[in-house]
Amino acid sequence: MRLITLTTDFGWTEYVGAMKGVIHSIHPGATIVDITHGVRRFDVRHGAYVIGTTYQYFPKGTIHCAVVDPGVGTERRGIIFSAGGHTFVGPDNGLFSMVGGVKAIYAITAKPKARTFWGRDVFAPASARLAMGTEPRELGRRIDGYERLEFRAGVSGRRALGEVICVDHFGDVITSLRGEHLAALGAEHGARLEVKIKGKKRDLRLLESYGHARKGELLCLVGSAGYLELAVNQGDAAARLGVVGGERIEVRL
Amino acid sequence: MRLITLTTDFGWTEYVGAMKGVIHSIHPGATIVDITHGVRRFDVRHGAYVIGTTYQYFPKGTIHCAVVDPGVGTERRGIIFSAGGHTFVGPDNGLFSMVGGVKAIYAITAKPKARTFWGRDVFAPASARLAMGTEPRELGRRIDGYERLEFRAGVSGRRALGEVICVDHFGDVITSLRGEHLAALGAEHGARLEVKIKGKKRDLRLLESYGHARKGELLCLVGSAGYLELAVNQGDAAARLGVVGGERIEVRL
Amino acid sequence: MRLITLTTDFGWTEYVGAMKGVIHSIHPGATIVDITHGVRRFDVRHGAYVIGTTYQYFPKGTIHCAVVDPGVGTERRGIIFSAGGHTFVGPDNGLFSMVGGVKAIYAITAKPKARTFWGRDVFAPASARLAMGTEPRELGRRIDGYERLEFRAGVSGRRALGEVICVDHFGDVITSLRGEHLAALGAEHGARLEVKIKGKKRDLRLLESYGHARKGELLCLVGSAGYLELAVNQGDAAARLGVVGGERIEVRL
């Protein structure tokens, strides 16, 4: 039994229900697991982060169907590819930029009934067929490249430079900087970091967990996916900082 | 194996969890698929649209349990009926107005433990039993009619007249007018439509997909369920127009 | 087959998706049912209400995994316990205060990979193993006590005194007072209650269902879980009263 996961920016709406209906119609007995449908509307970068940090918790063999697709109905392609024993299905618009080890990419040849709903008419049926054992080459033609988005993240001298990838449900501000970047600065738990974001510098503690900060304190933390977060203990960092995604961030020890 | 779908205005809350618990308690091994629980609170018309445009993507034999039920606990009945090989369960308040080919309607005879939660106490148990093979006639008494809501939609001379059914997660404004009504006006892709809504006329392009408009452009489009939508490419048409549902709309070529 | 339920304040995000991936990786074929992920962020009392009023609708043998855990990564323990034939897994912070008949409590000995995500790294794996037949004693060490929160609720003379536990999706204000407390005051359906909340007294009808009130009327009702609610027929009582949870309430006949 190969699982099918779904990740979209559809919200938890009937658009998701229709995709599930299509999958069950093709593949009775399918097991479908929602990763999330709460990707910020039209935000391919947010989708890329969600998929790239979650797929690896599923068993190998899982089919990951993802749809964040503001260009639906235009010339962008649909693709199927493999990476690390998992299979991915979705639009070729950068949504899979944070999946490593990509190989064997196929452009899906099926066309949708409704130009505006590839999720229901193309990606769901392809995912159902893959879960039943159809080979990707039966659903598309082999291609070489695919779209990748860049996330700025690096260390230059004593500064780490990155960007905000997204804001999570708790208002935690997730950045493109990782534990490695902080290590390169020599920052350890308990260190004070100078964080510049939206033109303002702040002096924040790098802590191990939210609960180690005072209630309401703005803190830094390397989150459960390995990325530097700005968070407020029992509060909403994004609301406090006025951040929505895409902002530049600069960190010094 | 007959699937059970759920559609409610409960939000994704424990009220849904309780319904699922009841179903699994009666029918271990049930497969339950959420269509959505995001129907606008108390909005039977929105619920009718969601069910009427989604059920057909599920396999025949599916049991569709729907609860948008502002009159819960009053004298309105619960019903079970068949249409097109699917079975429907829910309140008799117009929620199934967009399901065609209705036949064999039964009024459910069971009474709820809690007057305010027919979903948990009546509709979920009935759905579980139907999925296990119980016949509708064992759960209710045959009746002739059921409640139907009217949606205004028609062409008069050179004008199509309709109403806003609902607003979707993307802020797309979904109307009761269909591709047929536009065809009757002679409107084709690329045409300019004069759209009157909330007392204001706008000149909008009828396009094939969101991405064919400029970013931020207000456009018209026949959506994936066949209904005329007003949308903004990568934006929120409902917010821009101040529309929530129920507004009258008038379209000319 | 033992079901696994999930209840969190994660929102319907990829954090839930990751937990499900972990469960399926350990226990292929697991059946996972969401109770809700809409517990108010960081609100352990709301979580306690949701779990305490929902678990009993699931079959005996179900594993209920719950995570509302503002203290994640600090010294609070993870626990497993039994109650009424159900098994519970989660943080020992009061989240299970409304589950009765607790016995056989174990402190989980596993440590998380990421200090900030016990849900994914500790509670999900423990739940998967329990569903596969592992005994709680294989996952922890027996302990005697666990955290319990108190909810104020009682009758003093002719007044019932309680507090607001939470606000539901419909804006209904759910209080800690139960049908028993109203019975002790001699209140029956149709009675007028004097309700004092946020320093203001109101004269409200105690009705059987929302639809028995006039549209827009603020009413009292004993809800489907047995608790006194303040509600507005087809409206939002919490918004009208300015209530979010934790407020004191006083009721007289």
Side-chain angles (χ1 to χ4, degrees):
Chain A
M1 169 64 86
R2 301 180 70 181
L3 297 178
I4 298 168
T5 76
L6 301 180
T7 303
T8 76
D9 67 343
F10 295 173
W12 295 77
T13 62
E14 72 272 19
Y15 300 138
V16 176
M19 287 181 68
K20 292 180 179 175
V22 167
I23 292 170
H24 282 290
S25 292
I26 293 171
H27 180 13
T31 299
I32 305 170
V33 182
D34 300 295
I35 289 182
T36 185
H37 302 288
V39 172
R40 195 163 65 122
R41 296 185 299 182
F42 319 119
D43 190 342
V44 176
R45 299 170 87 83
H46 186 195
Y49 174 81
V50 164
I51 297 159
T53 58
T54 312
Y55 81 89
Q56 58 273 51
Y57 293 102
F58 285 83
K60 293 202 177 192
T62 297
I63 316 297
H64 300 282
C65 179
V67 194
V68 179
D69 195 11
V72 65
T74 62
E75 291 310 308
R76 70 97 194 83
R77 302 178 293 199
I79 53 173
I80 298 170
F81 67 88
S82 299
H86 296 254
T87 303
F88 297 81
V89 180
D92 184 19
N93 62 2
L95 188 52
F96 302 107
S97 295
M98 292 178 70
V99 175
V102 170
K103 58 184 183 187
I105 312 164
Y106 294 82
I108 300 174
T109 42
K111 295 292 170 207
K113 196 173 145 210
R115 282 185 83 110
T116 53
F117 202 173
W118 280 57
R120 181 191 71 194
D121 293 352
V122 176
F123 300 132
S127 299
R129 293 200 179 91
L130 291 165
M132 294 177 83
T134 298
E135 293 293 331
R137 65 181 149 70
E138 301 175 62
L139 300 171
R141 61 186 170 74
R142 186 71 182 261
I143 55 175
D144 284 330
Y146 69 109
E147 289 290 316
R148 294 198 62 169
L149 304 170
E150 292 300 321
F151 292 88
R152 176 206 314 251
V155 173
S156 165
R158 286 159 46 196
R159 297 183 309 164
L161 293 168
E163 63 179 280
V164 175
I165 301 178
C166 59
V167 171
D168 83 359
H169 175 70
F170 295 96
D172 299 341
V173 173
I174 297 171
T175 77
S176 59
L177 297 173
R178 295 182 55 84
E180 304 88 273
H181 298 112
L182 297 180
L185 295 180
E188 296 182 344
H189 285 137
R192 288 198 161 269
L193 301 178
E194 185 192 274
V195 175
K196 188 172 165 188
I197 189 166
K198 295 200 78 173
K200 194 168 165 189
K201 286 182 186 165
R202 285 179 180 81
D203 187 40
L204 305 178
R205 291 198 289 165
L206 178 63
L207 297 173
E208 280 192 89
S209 193
Y210 311 102
H212 287 107
R214 293 180 302 279
K215 191 168 172 178
E217 178 183 350
L218 185 64
L219 69 140
C220 289
L221 167 149
V222 177
S224 58
Y227 292 86
L228 176 69
E229 296 177 12
L230 308 185
V232 170
N233 183 19
Q234 298 187 51
D236 190 313
R240 189 180 302 178
L241 297 171
V243 161
V244 295
E247 295 83 359
R248 182 188 162 105
I249 183 170
E250 195 179 312
V251 178
R252 288 171 192 263
L253 191 58
Chain B
M1 170 63 86
R2 301 179 71 181
L3 296 178
I4 298 169
T5 77
L6 301 180
T7 303
T8 76
D9 67 343
F10 294 173
W12 295 78
T13 63
E14 72 272 19
Y15 300 137
V16 176
M19 287 180 69
K20 292 180 179 174
V22 167
I23 292 169
H24 281 291
S25 292
I26 293 171
H27 180 13
T31 299
I32 306 169
V33 182
D34 300 294
I35 289 181
T36 185
H37 302 288
V39 172
R40 196 162 65 122
R41 296 184 300 183
F42 319 118
D43 190 341
V44 176
R45 298 170 89 83
H46 186 196
Y49 174 80
V50 164
I51 297 159
T53 58
T54 312
Y55 80 89
Q56 58 273 52
Y57 294 101
F58 285 84
K60 293 202 177 195
T62 298
I63 316 297
H64 300 281
C65 179
V67 194
V68 179
D69 196 11
V72 65
T74 62
E75 291 311 307
R76 70 95 194 84
R77 302 178 294 198
I79 53 173
I80 298 170
F81 67 89
S82 298
H86 297 253
T87 304
F88 297 80
V89 180
D92 184 20
N93 62 2
L95 188 52
F96 302 107
S97 296
M98 292 178 70
V99 176
V102 169
K103 58 184 183 186
I105 311 164
Y106 293 82
I108 301 174
T109 42
K111 294 293 170 205
K113 197 174 145 208
R115 281 184 84 109
T116 54
F117 202 172
W118 280 57
R120 181 190 71 193
D121 293 351
V122 175
F123 301 132
S127 300
R129 292 200 181 92
L130 291 164
M132 294 177 82
T134 299
E135 293 293 331
R137 65 180 148 72
E138 301 175 63
L139 300 171
R141 60 187 170 73
R142 187 70 182 262
I143 55 176
D144 285 329
Y146 69 110
E147 290 290 315
R148 294 199 63 169
L149 304 170
E150 292 302 320
F151 292 88
R152 176 206 316 248
V155 173
S156 165
R158 286 159 49 196
R159 296 182 310 161
L161 293 167
E163 62 179 281
V164 175
I165 301 179
C166 58
V167 172
D168 83 358
H169 175 70
F170 295 96
D172 298 342
V173 173
I174 298 171
T175 77
S176 59
L177 296 173
R178 295 181 55 84
E180 303 89 273
H181 298 112
L182 297 180
L185 296 180
E188 296 184 344
H189 285 138
R192 289 198 162 271
L193 301 178
E194 184 193 274
V195 176
K196 187 173 166 189
I197 189 166
K198 295 199 79 171
K200 195 169 163 188
K201 286 182 187 168
R202 285 178 179 82
D203 187 40
L204 305 177
R205 291 198 288 165
L206 177 64
L207 297 173
E208 279 192 270
S209 193
Y210 311 103
H212 287 107
R214 294 180 303 280
K215 192 169 172 176
E217 179 182 349
L218 185 64
L219 68 141
C220 289
L221 169 147
V222 177
S224 57
Y227 292 86
L228 175 69
E229 296 177 12
L230 308 185
V232 170
N233 183 19
Q234 298 187 51
D236 190 313
R240 188 179 303 177
L241 298 171
V243 161
V244 295
E247 294 83 359
R248 183 188 161 105
I249 183 171
E250 194 178 313
V251 178
R252 288 171 190 264
L253 190 59
Chain C
M1 170 63 86
R2 300 179 70 180
L3 297 178
I4 298 169
T5 77
L6 301 180
T7 303
T8 75
D9 67 342
F10 295 174
W12 295 77
T13 62
E14 72 272 20
Y15 300 137
V16 176
M19 287 181 68
K20 292 180 180 176
V22 166
I23 291 169
H24 282 291
S25 292
I26 293 171
H27 180 13
T31 299
I32 305 170
V33 182
D34 300 295
I35 289 180
T36 186
H37 302 288
V39 172
R40 195 163 67 123
R41 296 184 299 183
F42 318 120
D43 190 341
V44 176
R45 299 170 88 82
H46 186 195
Y49 174 80
V50 165
I51 298 159
T53 58
T54 312
Y55 80 89
Q56 58 274 51
Y57 294 101
F58 285 84
K60 294 203 177 193
T62 297
I63 316 296
H64 300 281
C65 180
V67 194
V68 179
D69 196 11
V72 64
T74 61
E75 292 310 308
R76 70 97 195 81
R77 301 178 295 199
I79 53 173
I80 298 169
F81 67 88
S82 298
H86 296 254
T87 303
F88 297 81
V89 180
D92 183 18
N93 63 2
L95 188 52
F96 301 106
S97 296
M98 291 178 70
V99 176
V102 170
K103 58 185 184 185
I105 312 164
Y106 293 83
I108 300 174
T109 42
K111 294 292 169 205
K113 196 172 145 210
R115 283 185 82 110
T116 53
F117 202 173
W118 280 57
R120 181 190 72 194
D121 293 351
V122 175
F123 300 132
S127 300
R129 292 199 180 92
L130 290 164
M132 295 177 82
T134 299
E135 292 293 330
R137 65 182 148 69
E138 301 175 62
L139 299 171
R141 62 187 168 73
R142 186 72 183 261
I143 55 176
D144 284 329
Y146 69 109
E147 290 289 316
R148 294 198 63 168
L149 303 170
E150 292 301 321
F151 292 87
R152 175 205 316 249
V155 173
S156 165
R158 286 158 48 196
R159 296 183 310 163
L161 293 167
E163 63 180 281
V164 175
I165 301 179
C166 58
V167 172
D168 83 359
H169 176 70
F170 295 95
D172 298 341
V173 173
I174 298 171
T175 77
S176 58
L177 296 174
R178 295 182 54 85
E180 302 90 273
H181 298 111
L182 296 180
L185 296 181
E188 295 184 345
H189 285 136
R192 289 199 161 268
L193 301 179
E194 183 193 275
V195 175
K196 188 173 165 189
I197 189 166
K198 296 200 79 175
K200 195 170 163 188
K201 286 182 188 167
R202 285 179 180 80
D203 187 39
L204 306 177
R205 290 198 290 165
L206 177 64
L207 297 173
E208 280 191 90
S209 194
Y210 311 103
H212 286 107
R214 294 180 303 279
K215 191 168 172 178
E217 178 183 350
L218 184 64
L219 69 140
C220 290
L221 168 148
V222 177
S224 58
Y227 292 85
L228 175 69
E229 296 178 12
L230 307 185
V232 171
N233 183 19
Q234 298 187 52
D236 190 314
R240 188 179 304 177
L241 298 171
V243 161
V244 295
E247 294 83 1
R248 183 187 161 104
I249 183 171
E250 195 178 311
V251 178
R252 288 172 192 262
L253 191 57

